[in-house]
């Protein structure tokens, strides 16, 4: 009887399948968790002429705590607009997150202001890695893990729901007036970014609204080998998904075709090929973009190169774009160059994957700064043309409204003290840190943002030339509390 009972238990567990993303018959551009619609809504609610974007890098709990410290500092920074107090955090429209940073992005979108009392005990100061390891080693979970439909990342997603997300889905975020939160994974076959937005899921002819936030976070942090890929069904090519508005303009070509946008279009076409690719296996977003910044760069280039995209987004009143890049890059010191003996196989493998990612991240930040400079130069050139045509300086400036671009980089590289900088760069990329390390990460993040010349310049310009209005501090509604 005991053997029969055990066999029945094992059979039931083996039949346990991972969640399946649901199919849609027809794309509805007015439905779902769409970046464009969310940005229009958020900016419209604030009656604001600024677009404020935060990007949170990968790096386990180190990244989660560092990005959380930036949120705390933005919340502490009060701005008075039209006699009403608001804070800088209430001006944020979009947060992108990768791997460890995805937890902070999604949790703030769900919790709103309540994040600042619950995130530390629920997630940052838990031994998440220890629990995941013990659950993976528990014989009770072996039958599920033996199933081809249920990997270690699915086990992790269930745990993230227990401690942080409480089963919430992207549909649950729609009524909340919190920033749009977009997290990314990496398509293991092609290396393309896999973005958790309905625009991406349109390509798969699937409804993202019912996807759990915990599963998105587990996907974005599914470190290859350590955790299993997360699999999504692909029904693409059968629901009327349309190419983005910028595609035709870029394909036709202009003075400066956007190469990165064309590469993204090839990725889009590959996602829609469900005949050859009925399943998509997705891993850690840091493999394709460890800063969560590539999508922002591509969108800015698309906006720059495509009048159709500009018209679709309806940003005619936009006067400022602010991008705060929160980079918790790890750079542990080694003594390899002081020894004639080469490092071992494992060390070589880890370094071979991390070095290209770090260089790619650095390049992404520089690309963002290049776009900011290019836009400023383009305005100067347009004003100069109008001056040559006989306009005064004031008339020319009125004819060419300024679209200011603030690119703010918050990273350990800005720490002046070498020992303190190395301390933070030596912190491991894992999902467990001491409470003291978490507190130090939060504090240094706030300090680095405060001391950033670019951030100080932003605050100075806002205080002298404020946007139309900021929502009052702490105005974000609160989601139902997940079970502890």
């Amino acid at each position: 009887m005991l053997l029969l009972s055990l066999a029945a238990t094992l059979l039931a567990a083996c039949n346990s399948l991972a969640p399946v993303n649901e199919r849609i018959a027809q794309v509805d551009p007015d439905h779902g968790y769409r970046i464009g619609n969310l940005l229009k809504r958020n900016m419209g609610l604030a009656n604001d002429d600024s677009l404020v974007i935060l990007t949170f890098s990968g790096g386990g709990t180190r990244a989660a705590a560092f990005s959380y410290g930036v949120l705390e500092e933005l919340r502490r920074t009060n701005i008075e607009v039209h006699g009403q107090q608001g804070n800088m955090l209430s001006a944020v429209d979009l947060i992108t997150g990768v791997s460890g940073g995805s937890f902070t992005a999604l949790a703030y979108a769900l919790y709103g202001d309540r994040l600042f009392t619950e995130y530390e005990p629920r997630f940052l100061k838990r031994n998440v890695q220890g629990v995941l390891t013990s659950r993976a080693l528990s014989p009770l979970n072996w039958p599920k893990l033996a199933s081809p439909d249920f990997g270690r990342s699915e086990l992790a997603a269930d745990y993230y729901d227990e401690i942080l997300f409480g089963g919430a889905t992207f549909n649950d975020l729609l009524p909340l007036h919190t920033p749009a939160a977009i997290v990314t994974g990496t398509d293991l076959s092609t290396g393309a970014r896999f973005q958790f937005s309905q625009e991406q899921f349109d390509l798969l002819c699937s409804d993202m609204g019912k996807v759990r936030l915990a599963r998105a976070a587990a996907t974005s942090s599914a470190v290859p080998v350590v955790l299993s890929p997360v699999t999504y069904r692909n029904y693409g090519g059968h629901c009327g998904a349309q190419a983005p508005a910028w595609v035709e303009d870029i394909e036709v070509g202009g003075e400066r075709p956007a190469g990165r946008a064309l590469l993204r279009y090839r990725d889009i076409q590959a996602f829609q090929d469900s005949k050859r690719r009925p399943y998509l296996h997705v891993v850690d977003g840091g493999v394709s973009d460890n800063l969560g910044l590539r999508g922002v760069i591509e969108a800015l280039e698309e906006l720059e190169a495509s009048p159709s995209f500009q018209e679709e987004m309806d940003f005619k009143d936009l006067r400022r774009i602010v991008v705060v890049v929160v980079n918790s890059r790890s750079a542990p010191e080694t003594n390899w160059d002081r020894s004639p003996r080469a490092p071992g196989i494992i060390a070589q493998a880890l370094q071979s994957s991390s070095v290209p990612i770090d260089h790619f991240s650095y390049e992404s930040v520089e690309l963002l700064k290049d776009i900011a400079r290019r836009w400023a130069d383009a305005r100067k050139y347009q004003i100069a043309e109008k001056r040559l045509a006989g306009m005064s300086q004031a008339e020319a400036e009125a004819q060419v409204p300024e679209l200011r671009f603030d690119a703010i980089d918050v990273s350990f590289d800005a720490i002046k003290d070498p020992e303190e900088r190395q301390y933070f760069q030596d912190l491991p990329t894992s999902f467990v840190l001491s409470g003291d390390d978490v507190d130090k990460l939060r504090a240094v993040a706030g300090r680095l943002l405060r001391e950033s010349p670019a951030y100080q310049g932003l605050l100075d310009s806002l205080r002298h030339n404020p946007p139309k209005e900021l929502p009052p501090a702490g105005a974000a509604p609160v989601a139902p509390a997940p079970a502890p």
Side-chain angles (χ1 to χ4, degrees):
M1 179 65 78
L2 180 61
L3 288 175
L4 286 174
S5 176
L6 180 59
T9 301
L10 292 176
L11 183 61
C14 285
N15 286 334
S16 171
L17 298 176
V20 175
N21 49 297
E22 293 188 10
R23 184 172 189 160
I24 57 174
Q26 186 65 39
V27 167
D28 180 357
D30 297 321
H31 170 77
Y33 201 79
R34 298 180 181 278
I35 304 173
N37 294 349
L38 291 167
L39 288 181
K40 290 175 188 176
R41 183 197 71 176
N42 290 350
M43 294 174 70
L45 286 170
N47 191 27
D48 198 356
D49 58 2
S50 299
L51 174 61
V52 182
I53 302 170
L54 312 180
T55 76
F56 294 162
S57 79
T61 299
R62 184 185 70 248
F66 193 58
S67 56
Y68 178 62
V70 167
L71 291 183
E72 290 182 302
E73 181 61 27
L74 291 170
R75 185 171 178 253
R76 285 191 291 262
T77 307
N78 290 320
I79 300 288
E80 184 176 308
V81 181
H82 303 311
Q84 188 179 29
Q85 283 293 322
N87 60 42
M88 279 303 302
L89 182 56
S90 64
V92 174
D93 301 292
L94 171 68
I95 305 176
T96 70
V98 174
S99 197
S102 71
F103 289 87
T104 309
L106 290 171
Y108 182 60
L110 179 64
Y111 282 75
D113 225 36
R114 191 162 49 84
L115 183 81
F116 301 100
T117 57
E118 302 201 26
Y119 193 43
E120 289 179 65
R122 284 183 180 274
F123 186 76
L124 290 180
K125 294 186 177 179
R126 280 183 187 261
N127 184 355
V128 173
Q129 187 160 305
V131 173
L132 292 179
T133 301
S134 65
R135 291 193 178 190
L137 296 176
S138 170
L140 294 175
N141 290 316
W142 290 352
K144 284 195 294 187
L145 292 172
S147 166
D149 300 297
F150 195 99
R152 296 182 299 282
S153 291
E154 300 292 355
L155 198 69
D158 289 345
Y159 180 57
Y160 303 151
D161 260 334
E162 289 179 30
I163 63 174
L164 187 61
F165 296 113
T169 67
F170 282 94
N171 275 344
D172 293 321
L173 299 184
L174 283 172
L176 306 180
H177 296 153
T178 49
I182 306 299
V183 303
T184 56
T186 302
D187 180 350
L188 188 57
S189 294
T190 66
R193 285 186 303 107
F194 185 93
Q195 180 173 278
F196 283 86
S197 68
Q198 187 55 51
E199 289 97 336
Q200 168 79 50
F201 275 67
D202 283 349
L203 305 176
L204 316 185
C205 292
S206 182
D207 180 8
M208 194 192 75
K210 296 178 183 177
V211 173
R212 290 154 44 217
L213 304 184
R215 197 166 193 242
T219 304
S220 186
S221 57
V223 178
V225 182
V226 177
L227 291 163
S228 59
V230 180
T231 301
Y232 293 86
R233 305 286 179 93
N234 186 6
Y235 317 102
H238 305 287
C239 59
Q242 299 294 313
W246 48 264
V247 168
E248 184 176 352
D249 290 332
I250 289 172
E251 280 190 318
V252 169
E255 294 181 3
R256 186 185 181 277
R260 275 175 288 273
L262 284 172
L263 177 61
R264 182 60 182 168
Y265 182 46
R266 288 197 288 272
D267 292 339
I268 288 172
Q269 291 174 309
F271 281 127
Q272 291 182 290
D273 188 0
S274 61
K275 185 175 181 179
R276 293 181 60 250
R277 311 184 68 209
Y279 299 96
L280 301 175
H281 307 289
V282 188
V283 297
D284 192 306
V287 175
S288 57
D289 172 20
N290 199 44
L291 291 181
L293 185 57
R294 296 299 291 189
V296 174
I297 289 173
E298 288 168 10
L300 292 173
E301 286 203 338
E302 291 151 12
L303 194 66
E304 182 180 19
S306 171
S308 300
F309 189 41
Q310 295 169 22
E311 184 177 345
E312 181 185 80
M313 293 306 295
D314 191 24
F315 282 164
K316 60 180 178 294
D317 295 327
L318 188 63
R319 294 293 174 265
R320 166 179 256 119
I321 297 176
V322 179
V323 182
V324 181
V325 182
V326 184
N327 182 7
S328 64
R329 181 178 72 90
S330 172
E333 193 171 22
T334 71
N335 61 358
W336 298 341
D337 299 335
R338 293 190 289 273
S339 170
R341 186 183 296 275
I345 293 174
I346 294 177
Q348 290 180 49
L350 291 172
Q351 190 74 350
S352 296
S353 62
S354 64
V355 167
I357 287 173
D358 289 342
H359 280 267
F360 190 56
S361 298
Y362 176 82
E363 185 69 15
S364 294
V365 174
E366 292 306 304
L367 281 171
L368 182 69
K369 293 176 181 177
D370 286 345
I371 292 173
R373 284 190 288 267
R374 189 165 71 240
W375 287 19
D377 290 343
R379 181 172 185 264
K380 290 178 184 176
Y381 177 75
Q382 289 174 308
I383 290 173
E385 279 190 321
K386 293 186 181 298
R387 290 294 311 278
L388 289 172
M391 285 189 184
S392 69
Q393 182 72 19
E395 289 172 332
E397 289 179 356
Q399 286 284 316
V400 187
E402 181 179 13
L403 176 57
R404 176 167 173 165
F405 195 140
D406 299 273
I408 301 168
D409 183 19
V410 183
S411 67
F412 300 142
D413 290 336
I415 299 175
K416 295 176 182 177
D417 182 89
E419 289 187 10
E420 184 189 19
R421 182 170 62 249
Q422 195 60 52
Y423 166 81
F424 287 107
Q425 291 180 332
D426 281 342
L427 289 175
T429 301
S430 65
F431 277 108
V432 56
L433 288 176
S434 71
D436 186 49
D437 285 337
V438 168
D439 290 339
K440 287 180 179 178
L441 282 161
R442 292 167 50 212
V444 78
R447 189 186 88 209
L448 291 174
L449 180 60
R450 270 195 315 276
E451 294 176 353
S452 163
Y455 185 62
Q456 292 173 359
L458 168 67
L459 293 180
D460 184 63
S461 68
L462 286 176
R463 285 164 178 152
H464 289 89
N465 184 27
K468 296 174 186 174
E469 186 178 358
L470 285 177
V478 189

